[in-house]
Amino acid sequence: MYQSIVKPIFDFFCAFFGFVLLLPIFLVVTFLLFIANGGKPFFFQLRPGKNGKIFKIIKFKTMNDKKDKEGNLLSDAERLTKVGSFVRKTSLDEIPQLLNVIKGDMSLIGPRPLLPDYLHLYNDFQNRRHEVKPGISGWAQVNGRNAISWDEKFLLDVWYVDHISFMLDFKIIFRTLQKVLISEGINADNAATIEPFTGGKIEL
């Protein structure tokens, strides 16, 4: 009952009132990133949701589009702007995803939506993360975020799927706020983002 009825209602109202409350910050960050990224404060990307259904996620654009002499994008770390670094460090880049929650594509808490390019790489166990809606934060995020391995991330995601409850969601929300305040686990070691998933591992 919680997962099918209470959680969606809780998600909608919390996301709606949260977005209204954060609207002044949303507008300021949008303006700053508009300047830093040459008029592009947001980026939209396709992500798999519940049961692998593809939706379009919205986030603040924390990296510019600078390229090298050959026309290839520079590394993530090189393209991360000063404003973008602050926005990411404080997790303000997640604010626009409240709109995805209001729309019903995401939940406040759930496995983070990854790239659709990874879908064909998952084994049956890893693919279980799509049995629930993806979330703005999740069990893996409060246990390391980008600072943990892919194996650890999938194990934590599937553990959440098997133990979803109101108390667990409340615990994750509380721990998320704690980690935002101390900016813990934002980046993988020596990188702006975690390394791409290439498949394999986890044999249960």
Side-chain angles (χ1 to χ4, degrees):
M1 180 177 177
Y2 170 70
Q3 184 175 343
S4 60
I5 299 176
V6 178
K7 186 175 174 69
I9 295 174
F10 178 79
D11 283 339
F12 176 82
F13 283 103
C14 285
F16 178 81
F17 288 112
F19 185 77
V20 172
L21 182 66
L22 295 171
L23 186 57
I25 296 176
F26 176 86
L27 295 175
V28 170
V29 174
T30 298
F31 175 74
L32 293 176
L33 289 175
F34 181 88
I35 296 174
N37 296 328
K40 298 178 180 179
F42 306 105
F43 85 86
F44 301 86
Q45 195 172 49
L46 298 179
R47 297 289 176 95
K50 186 176 181 180
N51 299 319
K53 181 180 179 181
I54 303 298
F55 71 99
K56 187 175 292 186
I57 197 172
I58 176 173
K59 294 186 71 174
F60 279 128
K61 186 176 175 66
T62 58
M63 295 184 287
N64 58 39
D65 297 319
K66 290 184 178 180
K67 301 179 180 179
D68 59 24
K69 295 180 180 179
E70 285 72 40
N72 300 310
L73 285 174
L74 296 176
S75 68
D76 289 354
E78 292 176 296
R79 294 188 294 117
L80 185 63
T81 63
K82 290 182 178 181
V83 175
S85 178
F86 172 78
V87 170
R88 180 174 293 184
K89 183 177 181 180
T90 55
S91 294
L92 293 175
D93 57 324
E94 311 294 355
I95 293 178
Q97 289 171 76
L98 290 173
L99 297 174
N100 287 118
V101 177
I102 293 172
K103 185 181 176 183
D105 292 325
M106 293 179 64
S107 176
L108 291 176
I109 302 300
R112 285 293 299 158
L114 303 175
L115 297 174
D117 296 348
Y118 297 163
L119 285 173
H120 72 286
L121 299 174
Y122 298 141
N123 58 35
D124 290 341
F125 177 82
Q126 294 164 341
N127 198 48
R128 289 199 58 215
R129 68 193 314 277
H130 297 118
E131 292 178 10
V132 298
K133 286 183 181 180
I136 294 178
S137 184
W139 190 233
Q141 281 59 53
V142 298
N143 284 283
R145 198 172 177 176
N146 287 342
I148 60 176
S149 69
W150 281 109
D151 258 11
E152 292 172 306
K153 190 185 297 288
F154 287 124
L155 285 169
L156 291 167
D157 284 343
V158 176
W159 186 91
Y160 172 79
V161 171
D162 289 334
H163 296 84
I164 187 171
S165 69
F166 173 77
M167 289 306 299
L168 179 58
D169 279 358
F170 183 81
K171 179 179 181 179
I172 294 172
I173 290 174
F174 179 75
R175 290 182 61 177
T176 297
L177 294 176
Q178 284 184 313
K179 287 187 173 289
V180 167
L181 290 176
I182 62 176
S183 301
E184 180 182 304
I186 303 300
N187 299 325
D189 292 342
N190 302 316
T193 57
I194 194 171
E195 290 296 317
F197 177 63
T198 56
K201 300 185 178 180
I202 298 186
E203 296 182 4
L204 299 177

